[in-house]
Amino acid sequence: MKNILVAVTGASPQVLTETIYALYKQGRTLPKEVFVITTANSKITLENGFFNEGHWQRLIDDYQLPEITFSEENIWLIEDEAGRVLDDAKGEEDQSIMADFITRKVAELTEDDNLAIHASIAGGRKTMAFYMGYAMSLYGREQDVLSHVFVDHDFEFVSDFYYPTPYDKHIVGRDKEKVVNTKDAQVTLAEIPFVRMRRQADEALYSQMNQHSFSKTVSAMNSAGNKEITVNINSLSKELEVAGISIKLTGKALAIYLFFLNKPQRTEVLGRYFEDELSHTKEYLAVLDSIKADVRLYKTMGLEDEAQWHEHGFELTPQMTKDFVRQSLNGFHKALDASLVSTLVDQIKVHSDGLKSGATYRINKDLKVFIDGQLI
């Protein structure tokens, strides 16, 4: 079985050499190969320290360690589905991209039964460490371990410190005033016990999480074995929450979902006369009012603004077309598909029987839905 080290790193990539050193000192199995998950900015720091300045090879030479495969090809830059690489990971959207990337990588590695993964959460931003730990809890197997590495206070966040050297080497310590000897540094590797949830779930559950995104994985685990699914909608923030996952929706996507939720038996037939019935337009406009929709949505209904249809003497005309309904539902379902596993999407989506002569659209009438805390 091949042992590998997988780590998340940020501005202090030294956690890699510290971890290798600690494994060696504790007499534990060293990895045959090392992989790093990081951002574009952090990659520059990592390459400068390990390859350009030679600290990686120096560690191997100083302690006569067996060769460990580690090169630029082993550095995985966090990227979104379109292949755009993250320079850093500060924004809210960045967190989702980072979570999905880390989860996907751990999922892919754990598909190989001939790999034993040692995952380190010592580096990177706190959220990176959290997602790595969470991914290991979701996908980790008996042969996999999770750890954190610690160094003395004087050597923490010191850019010149990579590991305790077997010889004297004096550098400026953390306080920028005291000179310290790297030979005296103490490094502690702590293995972190973690719950392996994979053992508690049907293996078929994992196979349906086709892209191994963080949100899909969480939604699958949270909904597994749960016969009653609850949907919570916040009309102010335009968010739908289900199985512990919060999905931000456009006003258009949320409005069409509420439109069908408000229908008798949550069912509507887009028949021959659907587009001629003014009542559908009024119902949709009432939904837009309830969620304080953007004025642009009112303009799609042939209005100048949100107030015009209430004006005395204004003659409202039917505006709800079948194409508008289908396009709106397409946007809503895409948002669900991006964050939830298919079995969960199927329980909460708007279904259509697909008839060309007058398709019937429906939402499961037994689905429990709360809007702003009120059960509907």
Side-chain angles (χ1 to χ4, degrees), residues 199-362:
R199 297 182 300 179
Q200 303 171 21
D202 189 334
E203 196 67 25
L205 179 67
Y206 288 87
S207 64
Q208 69 174 297
M209 295 180 283
N210 56 337
Q211 292 184 341
H212 301 294
S213 75
F214 181 76
S215 61
K216 285 188 177 183
T217 304
V218 172
S219 72
M221 295 296 292
N222 285 343
S223 60
N226 190 351
K227 295 181 179 179
E228 185 177 68
I229 299 299
T230 299
V231 174
N232 291 284
I233 295 172
N234 185 319
S235 64
L236 182 62
S237 62
K238 311 289 189 298
E239 289 180 284
L240 181 151
E241 184 274 328
V242 61
I245 298 299
S246 184
I247 304 170
K248 288 193 174 183
L249 300 172
T250 63
K252 186 176 183 179
L254 176 58
I256 199 64
Y257 192 53
L258 295 180
F259 173 78
F260 282 103
L261 280 172
N262 290 332
K263 289 291 183 179
Q265 299 298 305
R266 298 178 177 173
T267 301
E268 182 59 48
V269 179
L270 271 63
R272 180 177 179 183
Y273 301 107
F274 175 84
E275 296 180 345
D276 298 328
E277 295 178 16
L278 185 60
S279 60
H280 301 307
T281 300
K282 289 182 176 180
E283 290 167 10
Y284 185 78
L285 289 172
V287 169
L288 296 187
D289 271 0
S290 70
I291 66 173
K292 296 179 173 55
D294 188 283
V295 68
R296 287 171 293 184
L297 277 177
Y298 288 92
K299 290 183 177 181
T300 64
M301 294 289 103
L303 304 175
E304 289 298 322
D305 54 42
E306 62 271 25
Q308 188 178 22
W309 72 294
H310 294 298
E311 293 176 1
H312 179 70
F314 178 76
E315 186 175 348
L316 185 65
T317 58
Q319 297 290 332
M320 285 291 283
T321 67
K322 295 177 184 178
D323 283 344
F324 179 81
V325 171
R326 295 187 189 107
Q327 290 169 6
S328 299
L329 284 176
N330 185 52
F332 174 67
H333 291 148
K334 278 186 176 180
L336 297 185
D337 289 333
S339 298
L340 306 174
V341 284
S342 58
T343 52
L344 196 54
V345 172
D346 193 61
Q347 294 181 65
I348 66 177
K349 69 181 291 187
V350 182
H351 292 266
S352 169
D353 60 13
L355 293 178
K356 293 183 179 180
S357 58
T360 298
Y361 288 78
R362 62 173 181 81

Side-chain angles (χ1 to χ4, degrees), residues 174-194:
R174 180 176 180 175
D175 62 6
K176 306 298 183 183
E177 296 179 0
K178 183 170 61 176
V179 174
V180 294
N181 190 344
T182 59
K183 185 179 180 179
D184 299 330
Q186 297 294 315
V187 176
T188 303
L189 182 74
E191 188 171 317
I192 302 172
F194 64 99

